[in-house]
Amino acid sequence: MRIILFTGKGGVGKTTLSAATALQAARQGVKTLVISTDPAHSLSDALDRELGPEPQEIAPNLFAQEFDVYYSMKKHWDSIRQLMLSVFKFQGVKNVVAEELSALPGMEEASAFLWLEEYYRQKDYDLAIIDSAPTGETLSLLSLPQVTQSWVLKAFPGQRFAMKGFGAMVRSMTGIPLDKGMDELENLFDKLERIQQVMQDPEVCSIRIVANPERMVVKEAKRSYSYLQLYGYNVDAVIVNRIFPEEAGKGVFARYLVSQQEYLREIRESFEPLPIFEVMHQGQEVFGIELLDKIGRAIYGGSDPAAILYQDTPFEIREEKDGYLARIKLPFVEKGAVRLEKFGDELVISLGNQRRSIFMPRFANYLQLKGYEFNTPWLEIHLVR
């Protein structure tokens, strides 16, 4: 099964482009599932169809699903839900609040991975397209299952998944199903790790960044690209959405059109050689199959929207004896032309009058910059503990 995930700042049009891509693939005979992980549930609005927590066919070869974290937990991971409910009630939390708190941190995103693991294992679809929540929530996927596992271990200090006998004793004394919940959590983490490996396979999964030609959106797109490259996810395209036509540049939109051209140029230069698709503003709200088909054809023409559009590894980081080596690919650059500084978890690369920021994982705050060297086409950065 091929997987494509759309990410970007909130409000840039990820849902529209996810649905348009799914529709084009389905019309080419690919059995396609488009999934929304955004709690706002705007996928049903884009498709102009009522959707539920289970996949439903809305056009030939096209299925759609909107996740519901409580439905997912009740159906697939009810022992975890019952464990959390029991713990909170045991601590005196009222029923309604306990139900709300029963969803573990990150479970909305984890549910997407767990459903995806099921579809991938069972080979239910040829293509799964994920309409993700805004960038911050999408990036939280990258740290699963470690974050969730850490949270659970803090919630139950001193407990380990292997302590089956102790869990059974706790259940007999307090009614809290600790053993069953821990068994299910072990299984959950195993599934998360398996699907993470699948999504980090560039032959299976691609990520497409959606942006608008606006300052804050472009900055966030660059930041998310750095993180995605850092964690080994293959970004195969950037789609610039809602571009105003030149004829709109009169009156109140004149200044906006000037800045729009500047940001379009910045996007093209910054993300090269990634394929960059540009989608014009439709002049109206986009919902329904007809408009989605128009947008999908404008992006992909007659080409395969499920194809791997680009594959590269421009950023690498690996552990060394005394720290880490980060390598950044900088083609067409001469030796001596690059300068680099480190500020906390940020690496700032200067090339002529251009500067680029690379955001490292948070642990980089505690690493020291030992030095760097340029071996064409790689900038190699040595960070020590």
Side-chain angles (χ1 to χ4, degrees):
M1 186 178 76
R2 178 93 166 89
I3 300 169
I4 302 174
L5 185 146
F6 284 78
T7 189
K9 187 175 174 62
V12 295
K14 298 184 299 295
T15 301
T16 297
L17 299 181
S18 299
T21 300
L23 180 60
Q24 289 304 300
R27 291 195 164 172
Q28 292 184 14
V30 179
K31 188 179 180 183
T32 304
L33 172 67
V34 58
I35 308 164
S36 173
T37 68
D38 194 334
H41 288 337
S42 52
L43 181 60
S44 58
D45 296 327
L47 293 167
D48 201 21
R49 293 287 187 88
E50 194 68 34
L51 301 177
E54 294 277 356
Q56 60 189 72
E57 190 169 12
I58 59 172
N61 291 315
L62 180 59
F63 297 77
Q65 177 182 9
E66 287 186 327
F67 286 130
D68 183 302
V69 63
Y70 298 103
Y71 176 87
S72 297
M73 289 190 71
K74 189 171 182 178
K75 179 176 179 179
H76 296 290
W77 313 288
D78 196 50
S79 292
I80 298 174
R81 175 175 164 272
Q82 292 298 332
L83 169 60
M84 302 306 295
L85 283 173
S86 299
V87 169
F88 288 125
K89 288 178 182 178
F90 185 74
Q91 294 176 345
V93 178
K94 293 183 179 179
N95 285 354
V96 174
V97 179
E99 189 74 51
E100 287 292 317
L101 292 173
S102 66
L104 297 171
M107 187 55 78
E108 194 85 48
E109 294 81 14
S111 294
F113 263 167
L114 293 164
W115 281 91
L116 205 56
E117 191 274 339
E118 179 181 311
Y119 299 143
Y120 185 84
R121 178 167 34 84
Q122 295 179 355
K123 298 179 172 58
D124 291 323
Y125 302 94
D126 302 318
L127 170 65
I129 292 179
I130 304 173
D131 165 34
S132 72
T135 307
E137 286 83 349
T138 301
L139 292 175
S140 70
L141 286 171
L142 305 179
S143 59
L144 288 170
Q146 292 83 3
V147 169
T148 310
Q149 185 169 2
S150 173
W151 188 93
V152 172
L153 290 175
K154 288 176 182 176
F156 305 103
Q159 309 309 320
R160 291 178 118 22
F161 298 144
M163 298 172 67
K164 313 294 184 188
F166 181 78
M169 182 182 70
V170 170
R171 177 158 54 94
S172 66
M173 294 174 62
T174 66
I176 298 176
L178 183 60
D179 52 342
K180 292 183 178 180
M182 289 300 188
D183 284 343
E184 204 163 80
L185 278 171
E186 276 192 290
N187 187 39
L188 182 150
F189 294 137
D190 288 344
K191 288 181 177 180
L192 285 174
E193 288 169 358
R194 282 198 298 271
I195 196 62
Q196 275 188 314
Q197 291 173 3
V198 169
M199 293 190 71
Q200 288 176 333
D201 182 349
E203 298 296 330
V204 175
C205 179
S206 296
I207 295 181
R208 295 179 185 171
I209 297 174
V210 181
N212 300 144
E214 299 172 2
R215 182 172 181 269
M216 291 180 64
V217 177
V218 173
K219 287 185 70 174
E220 182 154 341
K222 288 182 178 180
R223 188 183 187 100
S224 66
Y225 181 54
S226 297
Y227 269 108
L228 292 166
Q229 293 291 295
L230 177 65
Y231 284 104
Y233 288 80
N234 183 49
V235 177
D236 77 345
V238 174
I239 304 178
V240 189
N241 192 30
R242 300 191 189 123
I243 301 173
F244 280 92
E246 290 185 12
E247 52 267 29
K250 297 179 180 179
V252 70
F253 284 103
R255 291 180 64 183
Y256 183 86
L257 263 290
V258 172
S259 64
Q260 174 181 273
Q261 289 305 311
E262 294 175 357
Y263 292 126
L264 283 171
R265 183 166 55 253
E266 181 180 349
I267 289 170
R268 293 169 189 141
E269 292 174 354
S270 299
F271 289 99
E272 187 184 11
L274 279 174
I276 298 172
F277 300 93
E278 299 180 359
V279 181
M280 303 304 295
H281 198 292
Q282 301 301 303
Q284 59 180 314
E285 288 186 276
V286 178
F287 59 89
I289 297 297
E290 186 176 338
L291 272 175
L292 292 174
D293 182 49
K294 178 183 176 183
I295 291 173
R297 284 187 282 109
I299 298 172
Y300 302 103
S303 63
D304 180 8
I308 300 170
L309 303 176
Y310 183 78
Q311 192 171 325
D312 192 17
T313 310
F315 189 98
E316 299 175 355
I317 185 168
R318 61 171 181 258
E319 190 169 5
E320 294 188 312
K321 186 176 181 180
D322 60 345
Y324 293 85
L325 172 67
R327 302 177 77 233
I328 302 169
K329 195 173 186 179
L330 299 173
F332 313 115
V333 173
E334 297 180 359
K335 282 190 175 183
V338 180
R339 290 182 292 109
L340 183 138
E341 297 174 280
K342 180 180 181 294
F343 303 97
D345 62 351
E346 180 182 7
L347 296 175
V348 179
I349 304 168
S350 299
L351 178 62
N353 62 351
Q354 300 295 316
R355 288 161 61 92
R356 181 185 176 191
S357 293
I358 301 291
F359 294 92
M360 305 283 286
R362 289 190 180 89
F363 68 76
N365 269 311
Y366 307 102
L367 300 176
Q368 302 297 316
L369 177 62
K370 181 180 179 181
Y372 60 94
E373 55 193 12
F374 189 73
N375 297 312
T376 308
W378 292 96
L379 174 64
E380 299 185 341
I381 305 159
H382 300 276
L383 302 167
V384 297
R385 297 184 180 91

